[in-house]
Amino acid sequence: MDEFDLIHSITPRTIHHSSVDVGIGDDAALYTAKHGVQEIVCVDTMVEDVHFKLHYSSPEDIGYKALAVNISDIAAMGGIPKFYLVSLAVPSKWTESEIKAMYEGMNELAKLYHMDLIGGDTVSTSDKLVVTVTVVGEVEKGRACLRSLARPNDIVFVTGEIGSSAAGLSLLLEETNPQNSAIDTAYFINRHKRPQPRVSVGRLCSSFKRAALNDISDGLASELNELAEASCVSIEIDESMLPVHSDLPKLHPNWKEWALFGGEDFELTGTISKEEWEVLKQECETRQLPITKIGHVREKTESNVILKTDKTTMTLEKKGYNHFK
Ligand SMILES: Nc1ncnc2c1ncn2[C@@H]1O[C@H](COP(=O)(O)OP(=O)(O)O)[C@@H](O)[C@H]1O
Ligand SMILES: Cc1ncc(C[n+]2csc(CCOP(=O)(O)OP(=O)(O)O)c2C)c(N)n1
Ligand SMILES: [Mg+2]
Ligand SMILES: [Mg+2]
Ligand SMILES: [Mg+2]
C-alpha cells in the first residue's frame, strides 16, 4: 500500500463549509474563522486493546467511535462540530480497504453533522492500531457550557441512559453471559460500539443563560466530580433517579457499578438553574431528546459528590476509568 495513494483516496470530493480555504493537500489546513464565535478544539485517541479489540470491532466501528467521542466533547461545550483531522498509526498487516473502511465509519457521522475532513497524518507501526481524531467546532461567543458554571441550587441532569455501554463491553468481553435469552444483548453492544453524541442537547443548553456540561467518558461519578471541582460546589444525586435501560438490572447484579463508574456512555451530564430546568426539560420533550433530573447542586462541603440511596448517604468518589490506575 502506498501512503500517498491512501491519502488521495480518502480525500473528500466535496466540502460542506465554504470557510475551508485549504483542506487536505498542503502542509496544513486553512479555514477562515467567523466573527462572534469561539473556536473549539479537542482531541482524543483510541488505542487497540485499550479502547477496543479487533475481534469484535470492525474498521467501520473503530472509525465511527473515534469521531463520535470527539463530537461528544464538542457537544459538552454546547458547540457545533465542523472539521476533523485524523492521525493514524497503522500496523503493517492492515490492508488499504480496511483503512478506507475506518474512514467510511467516520464518514457516517461526518455526513450527519456536515463535518469536513481537513487533514491528518499517517504512519506505520509494528504493533497496535492507534487512531487520534482532532475536531474543530464553534460556539457563539460567551455561550460555551463550561464545567465551572454549576451554582448552588441548580438541578443536576443527565441525557439518555447510563451504564448500557459498560454492559455492552462486558458482553463483548464475555464477562457477562446472560441467562435470560429475552434480553436484547445486541442493543447494549451497539451502545458501546456506536455511541450517539448529544449535540442537540448541548446546543439547547448553550441557548440558556447558564448551563454547565460534561460528557460521560470515564463514568458519571468521575464526570460529576469534575463538574463539582471546576465549579467549587458539591453535587448531590439520588440513586433511584438514575436513568438506566429496563434490562440493565437483569444483566448483572452489579449493574449500578456500570451506571456510576462504567463510562463511555457519551451522554451529557450537567447543571442548570431550577427555573431554566423546567424550560430545558420541556424543550427536550418536544424534540424527543431524553433528559432526566438526577439531583441538585449544594454549597461546597467536604464531599464533592454525594450519592443518596434509600438506605444511606455516601461520598461518590472520583472512581471510574483511569488510564494510570
Ligand atoms: N497529554 C496532554 N497534554 C495536554 N493536555 C492534555 C493532555 N491530556 C489531557 N489534556 C487536557 O486535559 C483536560 C482533560 O482531559 P480528558 O480527561 O481527556 O478530557 P475528556 O474526558 O473530556 O476527553 C482537557 O482539557 C485535555 O485537553
Ligand atoms: C478492551 C477495552 N477495555 C476497556 C474499555 C473501557 N474503557 C477504555 S477507555 C475508557 C474511558 C474513556 O476513554 P478515555 O481515553 O479516557 O477518553 P476521554 O476521557 O479522554 O474522553 C473506558 C471506559 C474498552 N472500551 N475496551
Ligand atoms: Mg480526552
Ligand atoms: Mg469530555
Ligand atoms: Mg478519560
Side-chain angles (χ1 to χ4, degrees), residues 112-185:
L112 202 62
Y113 291 105
H114 307 293
M115 295 172 72
D116 294 315
L117 174 64
I118 59 167
D121 192 30
T122 315
V123 298
S124 60
T125 174
S126 55
D127 198 14
K128 313 282 184 195
L129 175 73
V130 181
V131 186
T132 301
V133 176
T134 302
V135 167
V136 177
E138 66 182 28
V139 64
E140 296 78 3
K141 211 173 175 62
R143 304 244 52 96
C145 302
L146 307 180
R147 292 179 185 178
S148 56
L149 290 176
R151 298 288 175 266
N153 298 318
D154 277 2
I155 298 297
V156 181
F157 59 82
V158 67
T159 62
E161 72 200 28
I162 50 174
S164 298
S165 170
L169 176 63
S170 183
L171 289 162
L172 286 166
L173 297 177
E174 295 178 8
E175 293 165 353
T176 299
N177 297 295
Q179 308 302 315
N180 183 346
S181 59
I183 297 174
D184 182 5
T185 53

Side-chain angles (χ1 to χ4, degrees), residues 68-103:
V69 303
N70 278 285
I71 297 176
S72 178
D73 277 324
I74 301 285
M77 298 299 280
I80 305 166
K82 295 186 76 175
F83 311 125
Y84 65 113
L85 297 94
V86 179
S87 164
L88 292 181
V90 198
S92 43
K93 62 173 183 261
W94 276 64
T95 64
E96 185 168 343
S97 66
E98 285 173 322
I99 300 176
K100 283 195 204 155
M102 215 166 9
Y103 279 85

Side-chain angles (χ1 to χ4, degrees), residues 21-286:
D21 303 309
V22 177
I24 294 178
D26 213 307
D27 297 297
L30 283 177
Y31 64 87
T32 303
K34 269 197 249 160
H35 281 291
V37 303
Q38 285 173 299
E39 302 281 310
I40 312 171
V41 192
C42 60
V43 59
D44 264 319
T45 295
M46 282 187 20
V47 179
E48 180 183 341
D49 291 339
V50 175
H51 294 84
F52 58 87
K53 286 188 186 280
L54 286 184
H55 74 267
Y56 61 70
S57 304
S58 68
E60 287 90 345
D61 290 335
I62 297 166
Y64 175 99
K65 191 161 171 178
L67 184 55
V69 303
N70 278 285
I71 297 176
S72 178
D73 277 324
I74 301 285
M77 298 299 280
I80 305 166
K82 295 186 76 175
F83 311 125
Y84 65 113
L85 297 94
V86 179
S87 164
L88 292 181
V90 198
S92 43
K93 62 173 183 261
W94 276 64
T95 64
E96 185 168 343
S97 66
E98 285 173 322
I99 300 176
K100 283 195 204 155
M102 215 166 9
Y103 279 85
E104 277 310 308
M106 287 188 258
N107 199 34
E108 266 181 55
L109 267 179
K111 270 194 296 202
L112 202 62
Y113 291 105
H114 307 293
M115 295 172 72
D116 294 315
L117 174 64
I118 59 167
D121 192 30
T122 315
V123 298
S124 60
T125 174
S126 55
D127 198 14
K128 313 282 184 195
L129 175 73
V130 181
V131 186
T132 301
V133 176
T134 302
V135 167
V136 177
E138 66 182 28
V139 64
E140 296 78 3
K141 211 173 175 62
R143 304 244 52 96
C145 302
L146 307 180
R147 292 179 185 178
S148 56
L149 290 176
R151 298 288 175 266
N153 298 318
D154 277 2
I155 298 297
V156 181
F157 59 82
V158 67
T159 62
E161 72 200 28
I162 50 174
S164 298
S165 170
L169 176 63
S170 183
L171 289 162
L172 286 166
L173 297 177
E174 295 178 8
E175 293 165 353
T176 299
N177 297 295
Q179 308 302 315
N180 183 346
S181 59
I183 297 174
D184 182 5
T185 53
Y187 169 82
F188 293 96
I189 288 171
N190 196 52
R191 292 280 305 172
H192 179 73
K193 289 185 180 173
R194 302 255 168 167
Q196 291 181 353
R198 293 289 185 184
V199 177
S200 306
V201 180
R203 288 302 291 152
L204 256 179
C205 287
S206 75
S207 72
F208 286 89
K209 260 188 245 141
R210 174 182 60 76
L213 285 179
N214 197 357
D215 72 319
I216 305 178
S217 57
D218 302 322
L220 182 70
S222 185
E223 316 304 344
L224 289 177
N225 268 279
E226 285 176 344
L227 281 168
E229 280 165 26
S231 297
C232 297
V233 295
S234 287
I235 286 175
E236 186 175 301
I237 60 162
D238 190 331
E239 192 184 67
S240 67
M241 293 164 98
L242 298 178
V244 296
H245 189 279
S246 56
D247 281 344
L248 192 79
K250 298 178 196 155
L251 274 172
H252 201 281
N254 277 348
W255 60 275
K256 285 178 190 165
E257 295 277 309
W258 284 337
L260 291 169
F261 310 113
E264 295 184 285
D265 301 297
F266 297 104
E267 296 293 347
L268 297 177
T269 186
T271 84
I272 193 162
S273 72
K274 277 193 178 128
E275 302 73 48
E276 295 208 299
W277 162 249
E278 293 304 324
V279 186
L280 174 63
K281 191 174 65 171
Q282 198 56 54
E283 299 263 356
C284 284
E285 240 165 63
T286 309

